[in-house]
Amino acid sequence: MAKIPLGCEPVVGSLTASKKREYRLTNRLQEGKRPLYAIAFNFIDSRYFDVFATVGGNRITIYRCKEGGLVSILQAYVDEDKEESFYTLCWTCKLDGSPLLVAGGMNGVIRVIAINYENVYKSFVGHGDSVNEIRTQPLKPSLIASASKDESVRLWNIETGICVLIFAGAGGHRNEVLSVDFHPSDIYRIASCGMDNTVKIWSMKDFWPHVEKSFTWTDLPSKFPTKYVQFPVFIASVHSNYVDCNRWLGDFVLSKSVDNEIVLWEPKTKEQSPGEGTVDILQKYPVPDCDIWFIKFSCDFHYNSAAIGNREGKIFVWELQSSPPVLIARLSHVHSKSPIRQTAMSFDGSTILGCSEEGMIWRWDAVQ
């Protein structure tokens, strides 16, 4: 278990907004009565940078951001299971470049939607409980990772429908896994976190021939010899409570717990003894009234800034490339009172979306 060295005090950001970039509310939409748990822009394809999607209940809805704060609905998918409640979504694409949207939630079934055909392209069954987050491998978008209440992370190949690897077992998470993320440049690394208060870093390096095999597999997906990755290369106890969102920032990790802050830290692994090492906590980004679990932050494409909501309906926008941390803006509206479960920042960070517990979508745009 990674230890935090003494004498390395993290730099804590000030909650006084710098007003480096001012945002104004340009739209709000009531999508329905059900909570919206996830919202995301499509960063996979430059043709669709202005397209975003939401999930709530058994419905996935796709929108386009237009000039002047306008939002148009493009399509909606309603799952055949009326009891389904989607918690997460991510964008990816087929090998020919056509867009796909992947969603999962309470039932543990992962749906892959072909946007151009408006139908279910594939369904993945394997998790023994609900799916809390799905992420796309940026260097190989055919690979997605899913984090589940069943204490595992699974790696899937969307082209072949194969569950390639399961990250669980002796060294795995001991409670719900709430978040997972692929390293932006090291194709082998992923980070996961959850209700056991830990962040675990896993390596696929030894299993990579197995991952490549999944692309050429021609037999039934169920016959593929899925392998278990039982031991992470690093375990960090940065937080003392549930960790519900983690993202790589280069080789550093941003992780957020229910203790009202996002923490930026550096994992320092020991090559000789996997799983051990030290954590260097670099910066802390306070987020007041963010003490309920399942609130996730988002970043723009280049990770210049991050936006996170709280249980009071406010959104905090932090600059990520400065020390000490700079609060760019604090976004609030008199009618935004319910928890903002997730935000979505546009490619350049000029538009920020928030989806709320009461089924609202809030759109904020930078003042030019």
Side-chain angles (χ1 to χ4, degrees), residues 213-232:
K213 188 177 175 181
S214 74
F215 283 89
T216 54
W217 188 256
T218 52
D219 206 339
L220 290 170
S222 58
K223 293 192 175 175
F224 187 82
T226 302
K227 292 203 170 181
Y228 273 83
V229 183
Q230 293 208 56
F231 296 98

Side-chain angles (χ1 to χ4, degrees), residues 3 8 12 49 52 59 79 86 115 158 190 207 212 226 228 242 267 280 308 313 326 331 341 343 356:
K3 304 269 191 306
C8 302
V12 181
F49 280 171
F52 71 93
R59 179 184 166 107
D79 197 79
F86 289 119
I115 305 302
I158 58 161
I190 65 171
F207 297 87
E212 291 185 325
T226 302
Y228 273 83
Y242 295 165
D280 191 0
I308 182 166
V326 173
L331 313 179
R341 289 293 180 181
T343 61
S356 83

Side-chain angles (χ1 to χ4, degrees), residues 26-314:
T26 55
N27 207 331
R28 52 181 169 150
L29 307 166
Q30 181 75 51
E31 189 182 287
K33 293 278 187 274
R34 292 168 296 198
L36 297 177
Y37 286 114
I39 188 165
F41 276 103
N42 185 350
F43 285 170
I44 297 291
D45 189 328
S46 59
R47 294 173 297 174
Y48 308 118
F49 280 171
D50 58 350
V51 173
F52 71 93
T54 62
V55 291
N58 66 337
R59 179 184 166 107
I60 302 165
T61 315
I62 302 167
Y63 300 89
R64 171 167 270 130
C65 277
K66 295 188 161 180
E67 295 290 317
L70 295 174
V71 174
S72 63
I73 183 166
L74 299 181
Q75 55 181 266
Y77 162 79
V78 178
D79 197 79
E80 59 195 28
D81 186 343
K82 292 191 174 105
E83 301 303 307
E84 177 64 287
S85 178
F86 289 119
Y87 299 150
T88 181
L89 67 102
C90 70
W91 291 92
T92 182
C93 61
K94 289 162 79 169
L95 289 175
D96 66 6
S98 56
L100 298 171
L101 191 56
V102 188
M106 188 173 71
N107 290 345
V109 178
I110 295 171
R111 302 286 192 201
V112 185
I113 313 293
I115 305 302
N116 291 352
Y117 301 100
E118 298 190 34
N119 64 9
V120 177
Y121 173 59
K122 283 191 172 79
S123 294
F124 299 152
V125 179
H127 278 298
D129 217 320
S130 52
V131 174
N132 290 318
E133 190 160 84
I134 306 171
R135 298 285 285 173
T136 304
Q137 161 57 261
L139 305 170
K140 243 186 201 332
S142 297
L143 299 174
I144 60 165
S146 54
S148 170
K149 186 177 180 178
D150 68 7
E151 302 183 2
S152 78
V153 171
R154 287 177 179 243
L155 182 77
W156 307 86
N157 186 320
I158 58 161
E159 287 297 328
T160 52
I162 286 168
C163 177
V164 189
L165 300 172
I166 301 175
F167 302 83
H173 285 283
R174 289 289 170 263
N175 207 327
E176 286 197 43
V177 191
L178 299 177
S179 185
V180 62
D181 196 37
F182 289 97
H183 192 287
S185 56
D186 181 344
I187 200 162
Y188 306 126
R189 296 220 153 189
I190 65 171
S192 61
C193 62
M195 282 189 174
D196 59 2
N197 306 356
T198 67
V199 180
K200 295 181 188 257
I201 295 173
W202 308 82
S203 175
M204 296 184 273
K205 194 167 189 179
D206 295 344
F207 297 87
W208 199 249
H210 199 64
V211 175
E212 291 185 325
K213 188 177 175 181
S214 74
F215 283 89
T216 54
W217 188 256
T218 52
D219 206 339
L220 290 170
S222 58
K223 293 192 175 175
F224 187 82
T226 302
K227 292 203 170 181
Y228 273 83
V229 183
Q230 293 208 56
F231 296 98
V233 294
F234 193 81
I235 305 170
S237 287
V238 176
H239 305 274
S240 58
N241 213 321
Y242 295 165
V243 194
D244 54 4
C245 190
N246 65 210
R247 299 286 181 262
W248 291 96
L249 183 63
D251 288 328
F252 303 130
V253 177
L254 285 162
S255 58
K256 180 244 148 201
S257 178
V258 296
D259 38 22
N260 297 321
E261 63 186 10
I262 300 171
V263 177
L264 176 68
W265 52 278
E266 181 182 10
K268 296 186 169 178
T269 51
K270 287 183 179 170
E271 290 298 321
Q272 314 87 308
S273 46
E276 291 186 16
T278 56
V279 168
D280 191 0
I281 296 182
L282 305 170
Q283 305 205 135
K284 292 186 175 184
Y285 307 82
V287 189
D289 303 312
C290 198
D291 49 5
I292 56 172
W293 71 281
F294 216 88
I295 288 185
K296 296 174 184 273
F297 60 88
S298 68
C299 304
D300 62 88
F301 184 80
H302 294 292
Y303 283 75
N304 290 319
S305 49
I308 182 166
N310 72 0
R311 66 171 157 80
E312 300 289 322
K314 296 180 175 64

